[in-house]
Amino acid sequence: MPFSPQAYRPAAALLSLGQGFYDPVEAADFPQARLRFRNDCAAAEVGLSELTDDEWCAHFGRFVAMPGTLPQPLALRYHGHQFRHYNPEIGDGRGFTFAQLRDARGRLMDLGTKGSGTTPWSRFGDGRLTLKGGVREVLASEMLEALNVATSRSFSLIETGEALHRGDEPSPTRSAVLVRLSHGHVRIGSFQRLAYLRDEAGLRALTGYVLRELYGEDSDDPIRLLDLVVARTATLAAGYMAAGFVHGVLNSDNINVTGESFDYGPWRFAPTWDPGFVAAYFDEGGLYAFGRQPEAIHWDVMQLAASLRLIADSEPLIAALERFAERYQPAIAAAMLWRLGVTPRGPAEDRALVQVVERAMRRTGVALERFFWDAFGGTLPASYADDWEEVRAALASYQPRTSRNHPYWQGGPCSMLIDEVEAIWAAIDRDDDWGPFDAKVAAIRAMGQALA
């Protein structure tokens, strides 16, 4: 029995919403299924770590249905604002929800795909994913998880043996299918679609589904839903900032209502604390620049509030929405103190520390990963001189939250800058050498253990 009887807890909650929310689809029939990455840490949490590699490829490369969960893949329907322009023609165009499972904590988890073939929402796309895109998503999600950011987890990456042509990278290039483990795939754009269609019954049904299945609340109150989403997304925005992460495409169809980050395309980690740093070459106006991410996420949540006006009064929706800033401030303090490895002292003192640290990082142009590595535990090395005295003074009253005994602290900081990503891909592309990729994943996980 490859499915652990104690840990494998299949579910099919999505079916309760009915066919108006999704389209049954079939996966592409790929020429090959060559396993490149399997996340056994995540698999153990949903009872799938005992699968052999052949069984793994059958389920996550050929998409053989698993017992007790969805009988066939479902492509979800949604709309969304893309760079502030509303698009009613989108949906799962190269992915689908393949299965639902309960994790070790009892949370409902989706196994969703990227690059699994065309759907009714593919428009003119081929429904495929480049192997490079899959490698990048694994690296992004592993790094964010290690940095304590709520994120989907890259569950599986399988090379599929097709030659893909893309306009923005050398072609032909290798193909892959990615599976991610995520706490739901319901997006703000899922609500926007129903509001666009004036579907009050659908909005109420989706509100109840999210509250019951994803938040564990016996409620169908849209005000309560918005309040929870405001809190989770404010925490996500703070996590991005403390991690130095730039998602690149914070469209409303890329914001999960559980506040979990997902769908990594043109992401980058900022080398320095530069609010204007952008990840996507096509973001010419800097709409989703590093320093504008909290604003961008807040704007997306505004679209959720606007959608819920069809089934709720405006006044309490506005009141819930306006709490974003008051949720963000303690969240950024908590996230920054976590990265600094110190124990919080109190709201006012913690906010003051964050402000002096941000000022110093911006003024000096210090390498972010180097600074957080050096400062972990609250003690700045002597090499941080004049420009850092204010930070040193602010840190003096803080206590470390954990020791630096882990072997990670004997080396140097683990970073994930674009040159490193390109070098990892070049080894795979040129020589099919997965050694640097495997080594980086191991280093990221070691960093995560040390920080935790």
Side-chain angles (χ1 to χ4, degrees):
M1 175 67 174
F3 300 95
S4 172
Q6 288 77 33
Y8 180 71
R9 299 169 58 193
L14 192 57
L15 297 178
S16 68
L17 287 171
Q19 293 187 358
F21 292 83
Y22 47 73
D23 295 277
V25 295
E26 294 184 4
D29 184 12
F30 297 114
Q32 69 178 47
R34 189 172 184 186
L35 181 58
R36 294 303 194 176
F37 172 80
R38 60 178 282 173
N39 191 336
D40 281 319
C41 296
E45 297 178 14
V46 290
L48 296 175
S49 60
E50 296 176 19
L51 293 175
T52 66
D53 283 354
D54 285 346
E55 291 165 338
W56 187 280
C57 287
H59 291 300
F60 308 124
R62 302 298 184 192
F63 297 100
V64 174
M66 297 192 299
T69 181
L70 303 178
Q72 66 186 112
L74 302 175
L76 303 184
R77 301 176 181 178
Y78 48 85
H79 290 179
H81 278 88
Q82 299 183 311
F83 284 83
R84 304 284 165 91
H85 298 285
Y86 193 76
N87 188 347
E89 303 297 329
I90 55 177
D92 277 340
R94 58 171 174 169
F96 49 64
T97 301
F98 170 60
Q100 292 188 299
L101 307 165
R102 298 281 175 184
D103 71 3
R105 291 187 280 165
R107 298 185 305 162
L108 181 67
M109 307 297 290
D110 290 353
L111 285 172
T113 65
K114 189 174 183 178
S116 49
T118 56
T119 77
W121 308 105
S122 299
R123 292 179 287 172
F124 301 106
D126 61 12
R128 267 56 172 179
L129 171 69
T130 66
L131 181 60
K132 182 179 183 180
V135 166
R136 284 174 48 84
E137 179 136 349
V138 173
L139 294 174
S141 59
E142 288 282 333
M143 192 73 172
L144 286 175
E145 183 181 358
L147 293 175
N148 203 37
V149 178
T151 177
S152 63
R153 298 164 78 182
S154 295
F155 193 79
S156 170
L157 182 65
I158 290 175
E159 188 168 0
T160 54
E162 295 180 316
L164 303 181
H165 290 266
R166 295 291 185 264
D168 56 353
E169 62 180 277
S171 297
T173 189
R174 293 152 72 177
S175 61
V177 63
L178 178 93
V179 176
R180 66 168 73 98
L181 183 68
S182 183
H183 186 35
H185 273 88
V186 179
R187 310 151 192 260
I188 287 175
S190 307
F191 286 85
Q192 289 181 279
R193 171 182 167 271
L194 296 167
Y196 179 90
L197 297 174
R198 310 295 295 176
D199 185 352
E200 292 187 33
L203 272 172
R204 294 185 190 282
L206 188 59
T207 297
Y209 174 87
V210 172
L211 285 168
R212 286 191 308 275
E213 300 293 349
L214 301 179
Y215 280 99
E217 299 213 352
D218 185 16
S219 171
D220 59 2
D221 180 6
I223 308 301
R224 176 60 176 160
L225 172 65
L226 182 61
D227 190 60
L228 290 166
V229 174
V230 165
R232 290 278 188 91
T233 53
T235 299
L236 174 64
Y240 279 172
M241 298 305 292
F245 181 72
V246 188
H247 184 282
V249 188
L250 290 174
N251 296 333
S252 60
D253 58 296
N254 282 342
I255 303 296
N256 190 331
V257 294
T258 61
E260 185 183 82
S261 177
F262 77 113
D263 203 12
Y264 302 110
W267 63 268
R268 289 195 185 187
F269 281 88
T272 64
W273 193 271
D274 175 6
F277 182 80
V278 297
Y281 69 87
F282 46 82
D283 188 4
E284 296 174 353
L287 181 64
Y288 298 143
F290 176 50
R292 295 185 68 182
Q293 291 182 118
E295 169 203 335
I297 292 173
H298 185 213
W299 191 92
D300 287 329
V301 180
M302 287 173 59
Q303 310 320 306
L304 174 61
S307 299
L308 292 173
R309 286 179 58 191
L310 197 62
I311 58 171
D313 293 333
S314 295
E315 233 175 270
L317 287 171
I318 293 170
L321 184 64
E322 289 179 343
R323 285 195 278 275
F324 187 93
E326 69 184 58
R327 259 62 180 274
Y328 177 76
Q329 292 304 324
I332 187 62
M336 290 287 278
L337 266 63
W338 185 90
R339 284 223 69 185
L340 288 165
V342 296
T343 302
R345 289 181 56 83
E349 196 167 351
D350 296 344
R351 279 197 301 272
L353 173 62
V354 170
Q355 288 169 357
V356 299
V357 168
E358 285 185 359
R359 278 200 301 269
M361 290 193 297
R362 185 172 182 178
R363 184 174 62 246
T364 63
V366 66
L368 290 189
E369 298 305 329
R370 181 82 246 178
F371 166 70
F372 283 118
W373 193 89
D374 287 339
F376 190 87
T379 303
L380 275 181
S383 57
Y384 288 78
D386 298 342
D387 286 329
W388 293 93
E389 290 311 310
E390 188 181 20
V391 175
R392 197 184 307 278
L395 281 170
S397 58
Y398 281 84
Q399 297 297 315
R401 63 174 172 82
T402 187
S403 73
R404 292 181 66 133
N405 291 334
H406 190 279
Y408 170 73
W409 301 111
Q410 306 308 309
C414 178
S415 59
M416 186 61 71
L417 301 180
I418 188 63
D419 289 348
E420 299 173 75
V421 177
E422 291 296 330
I424 289 168
W425 169 246
I428 294 169
D429 187 39
R430 183 183 60 244
D431 303 318
D432 203 33
D433 179 3
W434 289 79
F437 170 84
D438 294 336
K440 178 56 77 171
V441 170
I444 292 169
R445 291 182 176 182
M447 177 185 71
Q449 293 166 4
L451 295 180

